[in-house]
Amino acid sequence: MDLGLTDRVYVLTGASRGLGYATAQCLVADGARVVLSARDAGAVAAAAERLGGPERAVGLAADLADPETPGQLVAAAREHFGRLDGALISVGGPPAGKAASVSDEQWRQSFETVFLGTVRAVRTVADALPEGGAIGLVLSTSARGPVPGLGISNGLRPGLVGVAKDIADDYGPRGVRVVGLLPGRILTDRNRELFAATGDPERARAEAEAAIPLRRIGDPAEFGRVAAFVLSPAASYLTGVTVPVDGGALRGL
């Protein structure tokens, strides 16, 4: 299938590694060009170079907690590639811990980055997109069902699903799409850290895999391919929904 990605331009946040980088790889492989952002300047520059350098990818050191970041990313796409067709908005996972025990400061900091940073980026990019543009939000299966030990994520992710639906309604008449992506257990650094935090990572991984119908942890590329499709013109009638990428782990219909 031709996804129609040739020469289209996308901004991806939190994309020096993990799910953001995996999506960038898939987009570039199908002919798109990308602007990557992450907080670590060296890491995001290296990621852009691996994707083909200035002809295909550029990197920008930026933090979504900074109100100026979304505008800078939009400007970078237009400056380097002359257009902007969409974005994948991803931020690092909030601290682990039960909702009743994490501190007010942890809630506050997570709200500023995970929630408000995402909302700010989505509305800024949506305003800049032409008809046919698309935004994907990297959320979590915690948006549909609480994940034990991830209280902050359980609290914030469902709210972001509501925001995504609301923005999809607002921008739909302009032909701009907004879709939430719900990764489950994908083998990223984040999941490696969560497994390690249990004190017995091998057992934790085995238990996680036993709860997944496909009986394995996902590969980042498997998420990236879904995200690239969602952002592409091939998914032109898909908006205002959430798409699990979890090997069947969510039990809701």
Side-chain angles (χ1 to χ4, degrees):
M1 180 187 293
D2 180 1
L3 297 182
L5 287 168
T6 300
D7 293 331
R8 293 177 77 87
V9 176
Y10 295 90
V11 164
L12 300 96
T13 71
S16 64
R17 58 180 184 168
L19 302 181
Y21 181 73
T23 302
Q25 286 181 302
C26 294
L27 290 169
V28 169
D30 263 55
R33 293 169 289 178
V34 295
V35 176
L36 312 178
S37 77
R39 288 177 291 182
D40 186 319
V44 76
E49 189 62 29
R50 291 195 302 273
L51 291 170
E55 294 298 316
R56 307 307 308 176
V58 296
L60 181 69
D63 187 341
L64 278 187
D66 181 350
E68 301 299 318
T69 290
Q72 291 170 352
L73 295 173
V74 170
R78 289 171 170 168
E79 176 184 348
H80 288 281
F81 299 122
R83 59 187 288 177
L84 178 63
D85 298 286
L88 185 79
I89 307 301
S90 176
V91 297
K98 295 182 178 180
S101 61
V102 293
S103 69
D104 286 1
E105 185 58 25
Q106 287 175 310
W107 276 107
R108 190 174 295 110
Q109 289 180 353
S110 297
F111 176 82
E112 289 289 334
T113 54
V114 174
F115 194 93
L116 185 56
T118 296
V119 172
R120 188 188 295 122
V122 172
R123 70 190 182 205
T124 300
V125 172
D127 279 339
L129 289 179
E131 183 175 354
I135 300 172
L137 280 71
V138 181
L139 303 174
S140 166
T141 53
S142 63
R144 289 198 190 171
V147 177
L150 296 181
I152 296 179
S153 181
N154 294 337
L156 298 182
R157 302 297 193 186
L160 284 170
V161 170
V163 168
K165 181 67 172 177
D166 193 71
I167 294 177
D169 289 346
D170 279 347
Y171 285 86
R174 282 183 40 196
V176 173
R177 301 183 296 108
V178 182
V179 176
L181 293 154
L182 310 183
R185 289 292 196 176
I186 311 288
L187 197 56
T188 60
D189 290 343
R190 165 73 166 172
N191 269 302
R192 289 188 181 94
E193 291 166 0
L194 292 173
F195 289 146
T198 67
D200 189 344
E202 291 185 5
R203 178 179 178 181
R205 177 170 176 165
E207 289 176 347
E209 289 178 328
I212 299 169
L214 290 181
R215 293 299 189 269
R216 62 180 177 83
I217 302 297
D219 185 271
E222 294 179 296
F223 175 90
R225 288 190 289 269
V226 174
F229 167 73
V230 165
L231 292 172
S232 77
S236 57
Y237 206 53
L238 190 68
T239 192
V241 297
T242 54
V243 179
V245 188
D246 69 344
L250 281 174
R251 307 316 303 152
L253 299 179

